[in-house]
Amino acid sequence: MSKVLIVAEHLDGKLNASTAKCVTAALALSPEAIDIVVLAADPAAVAAEAAQIDGVARVLTVTNEANAQAVAQVLAPQVAKLADGYSHVFGPSTTFGKDLMPCVAALLGVPQVSDVMSVEGSHTFKRPIYAGNAIITVEAPAASIVVATVRTASWSEAGKGGSAPVEAASVQAELPTHSRFIGLAAGSSDRPDLQSAKRVVSGGRGVGSAESFKIIYDFADRIGAAVGASRAAVDAGYVPNEMQVGQTGKIIAPELYIAVGISGAIQHLTGIKDAGTIVAINKDADSAIFEVADYGLVGDLFKVLPELEAALG
């Protein structure tokens, strides 16, 4: 029987929704048990959140001042030690997981399975390749522990009706000194997090300028959405890089995605293929974005968005 350890992603004492999506992926294995490990300087608040996720057997906490920041080289030796006795170690396919899990796999001496979007067996999974244009089936060595990142856009969040016990874990791992946390440079915003938001409004080259992007922000605020952008908008300097959606940006799966002034390059479509409902607004009726949109509106965004906002009352 499978036994899964999931590494919790958290920031500022709050659990990231990606952890609950990893639990859903783990449940597809029909495992004997699913445990979550929270590594932090003070893991209590995050552990309490993790304990509420349906399907979780235990929440393990590793308290260490060295874990105050999510430095992969510091967390990986501890996760590798905790992996003993587990058949699978999962982490989210976010910036956090993509940084950490390869280090864990290297320390355990096993290959990593990346971007798991479907579980076909205990060691068999499906994952996207070629910017999501093809799906490949991969099989991990049967005798080895499986270290994998979970494609969060492909899985829903597990429910929050659980009450798993929280247990302190003691880890004897030698932590490296060659890597240390210096600082975190991140944009601050009161809007929902782009990676986990239920609604997202994105602007593209058609918005025209950084100043004109205000119309995107205003509409997103009106419907309580996060704000994203195409690579063209980022490259043009309209918005910062962390807002980019697509193959070289963030892969997201909101319930509602509104693409404004975005032509629909394949790299962008890769980032939104798992969205629930896609709405496209573009003055070019031949834009590729309309081929994937559930609803399309041909028109000038500077006229359409104010009209939509007014219609919302």
Side-chain angles (χ1 to χ4, degrees):
M1 288 289 288
S2 302
K3 189 176 181 183
V4 187
L5 178 67
I6 294 172
V7 184
E9 177 177 1
H10 57 90
L11 182 65
D12 297 331
K14 295 182 179 179
L15 186 69
N16 190 287
S18 63
T19 305
K21 294 185 176 185
C22 286
V23 172
T24 302
L27 286 169
L29 290 163
S30 299
E32 175 187 346
I34 299 173
D35 293 346
I36 293 178
V37 60
V38 179
L39 300 101
D42 182 5
V46 177
E49 279 191 75
Q52 297 175 22
I53 300 175
D54 288 337
V56 175
R58 290 186 306 166
V59 176
L60 306 176
T61 60
V62 180
T63 306
N64 192 325
E65 283 299 326
N67 297 335
Q69 304 295 336
V71 178
Q73 288 71 23
V74 173
L75 300 184
Q78 300 172 76
V79 175
K81 288 288 186 182
L82 287 167
D84 185 35
Y86 290 92
S87 59
H88 298 71
V89 181
F90 282 179
S93 190
T94 57
T95 302
F96 167 80
K98 290 177 180 179
D99 190 31
L100 171 63
M101 302 309 288
C103 297
V104 174
L107 290 171
L108 294 174
V110 299
Q112 177 191 285
V113 179
S114 300
D115 287 331
V116 169
M117 63 184 301
S118 174
V119 173
E120 304 299 309
S122 64
H123 287 65
T124 307
F125 310 91
K126 286 186 177 180
R127 64 174 299 262
I129 58 173
Y130 301 130
N133 288 304
I135 308 300
I136 189 173
T137 299
V138 295
E139 188 169 346
S144 300
I145 184 173
V146 175
V147 176
T149 57
V150 172
R151 181 181 168 90
T152 53
S154 299
W155 303 89
S156 61
E157 293 179 38
K160 293 185 177 180
S163 57
V166 178
E167 302 176 9
S170 178
V171 181
Q172 301 299 320
E174 184 177 346
L175 304 185
T177 57
H178 65 277
S179 297
R180 63 190 185 280
F181 178 80
I182 299 297
L184 175 64
S188 58
S189 174
D190 293 330
R191 297 183 181 90
D193 174 64
L194 177 59
Q195 196 99 46
S196 57
K198 304 296 184 185
R199 302 172 182 173
V200 174
V201 179
S202 282
R205 192 197 306 274
V207 178
S209 68
E211 292 73 25
S212 297
F213 224 84
K214 182 178 184 299
I215 196 171
I216 305 295
Y217 292 127
D218 289 346
F219 184 72
D221 290 343
R222 182 68 182 82
I223 64 172
V227 178
S230 67
R231 178 167 181 171
V234 171
D235 288 348
Y238 300 169
V239 293
N241 181 264
E242 61 261 26
M243 289 173 58
Q244 183 177 324
V245 173
Q247 182 181 0
T248 53
K250 290 181 170 65
I251 308 295
I252 60 175
E255 295 175 0
L256 173 65
Y257 185 76
I258 303 178
V260 183
I262 293 176
S263 61
I266 186 63
Q267 290 87 353
H268 186 78
L269 300 183
T270 296
I272 63 169
K273 65 184 295 292
D274 293 305
T277 300
I278 299 175
V279 177
I281 301 171
N282 200 300
K283 64 181 180 181
D284 181 2
D286 295 324
S287 290
I289 191 70
F290 289 120
E291 296 178 11
V292 299
D294 298 286
Y295 299 94
L297 183 54
V298 178
D300 184 341
L301 69 92
F302 295 103
K303 293 180 180 179
V304 171
L305 285 186
E307 290 174 356
L308 286 175
E309 196 167 340
L312 291 172

